[in-house]
Amino acid sequence: MEKIVDIVAPRNSIDLFLKVLALISSFTAFDYFIGEAMRNLTSTSIMIELVTTLFIAAPFGIFVMSIMGIQRRLKEKLRYLAETDQLTGLANRQAFMARAGAALSEQPNSTILMIDVDHFKRVNDTHGHFVGDISLRLVARHLVENVRAGDVVGRLGGEEFAVMLTNADKITAEYVSARICKPMEVDAAADLDKSAPSFVLTMSVGGIMALPGQNLTELIRHADAALYTAKSTGRARAVFYECDGGSKRVAC
């Protein structure tokens, strides 16, 4: 305890002088420079500049970041509107073609399905366009629920839809097509009053399995030909367009 008192509060002036002299002699060049740097950093002028910069730059930085965030969200919203069918939430024609084309380049072993709702004009004529819109939304949900994660689904227009089954063999393509063709019940009462109609919809499917070198436009044209055969031979079925030794045939 006495030693601590001697250090902090020397007993006489001679002791004080000797301790100050020892303290001064213990300074090194490093201590000196560190002390100078701290004194400069904490000087009044430096502090004023630092505070001024923070008060001016911080709000401006926050403002710029907010504007950038708004622009990013606006860009994402515009892209969503440009690529999405507003009735069904699926990719629209342009977006489907872009996504399916990209998928085909990465997964050549893919299948294109062209899908058409059977007798859809009758739905609009009998129940009205509002019920027709409900039906199309339910068809879109039916398609999404019956394909695999990673497949591309789009509405090309009207009652016409398309699906690209990426990396799908024949068994997978036929299985998915059969699920899509399965009759689907439309119960409009969930969106309208209790007197709304309930009826069954079916779909026809035309498909083609891609061969090396075929482009998306060619595949869609052949799938359309298969779809025409499916509709002209009874509907509610899937028909696949096949190439056999250079000759083209449509096989159920």
Side-chain angles (χ1 to χ4, degrees):
M1 184 66 181
E2 292 180 358
K3 292 182 178 180
I4 296 176
V5 172
D6 288 344
I7 294 173
V8 178
R11 297 173 181 175
N12 52 56
S13 59
I14 295 177
D15 288 340
L16 176 61
F17 175 79
L18 293 175
K19 293 184 184 300
V20 170
L21 185 61
L23 182 62
I24 292 174
S25 64
S26 70
F27 281 175
T28 62
F30 179 79
D31 296 327
Y32 174 81
F33 287 119
I34 291 297
E36 284 297 309
M38 292 299 295
R39 282 192 292 275
N40 289 335
L41 182 62
T42 56
S43 65
T44 303
S45 60
I46 295 296
M47 290 300 295
I48 291 175
E49 291 179 8
L50 180 61
V51 171
T52 303
T53 301
L54 288 175
F55 271 102
I56 294 176
F60 180 75
I62 294 173
F63 173 75
V64 171
M65 291 179 66
S66 299
I67 293 298
M68 292 175 64
I70 293 172
Q71 288 179 332
R72 184 177 65 255
R73 290 192 294 272
L74 179 60
K75 185 178 180 179
E76 291 173 354
K77 180 65 174 179
L78 292 174
R79 184 174 62 182
Y80 173 81
L81 292 175
E83 297 179 351
T84 305
D85 175 66
Q86 298 304 301
L87 177 63
T88 63
L90 299 178
N92 59 23
R93 174 183 286 272
Q94 181 179 358
F96 175 82
M97 295 295 290
R99 296 174 190 176
L104 182 63
S105 64
E106 296 177 359
Q107 299 285 349
N109 184 28
S110 298
T111 298
I112 285 287
L113 303 178
M114 299 296 290
I115 303 154
D116 195 78
V117 182
D118 296 328
H119 302 297
F120 185 73
K121 185 177 183 300
R122 186 185 302 170
V123 174
N124 284 331
D125 293 344
T126 304
H127 306 295
H129 289 278
F130 190 79
V131 174
D133 288 347
I134 294 174
S135 302
L136 291 175
R137 285 195 291 268
L138 292 176
V139 168
R141 187 172 69 184
H142 173 77
L143 294 177
V144 171
E145 290 176 349
N146 286 286
V147 299
R148 306 161 304 162
D151 294 333
V152 185
V153 185
R155 182 190 178 201
L156 303 188
E159 67 272 24
E160 188 177 21
F161 297 81
V163 171
M164 166 165 275
L165 303 176
T166 59
N167 194 26
D169 55 21
K170 184 175 182 180
I171 294 176
T172 300
E174 291 177 348
Y175 174 75
V176 173
S177 299
R179 289 178 62 88
I180 290 174
C181 292
K182 186 177 180 180
M184 184 192 74
E185 183 177 0
V186 176
D187 184 6
D191 296 272
L192 297 171
D193 54 66
K194 293 182 180 180
S195 62
S198 177
F199 52 92
V200 173
L201 282 180
T202 60
M203 280 162 274
S204 299
V205 178
I208 181 171
M209 298 185 65
L211 296 176
Q214 289 183 306
N215 59 45
L216 183 61
T217 302
E218 181 183 3
L219 292 173
I220 289 178
R221 185 172 71 253
H222 293 329
D224 259 333
L227 175 61
Y228 176 81
T229 301
K231 294 183 76 69
S232 63
T233 55
R235 295 183 170 85
R237 64 187 62 196
V239 172
F240 279 80
Y241 187 100
E242 299 178 358
C243 296
D244 184 14
S247 63
K248 298 176 180 178
R249 62 187 177 89
V250 176
C252 297

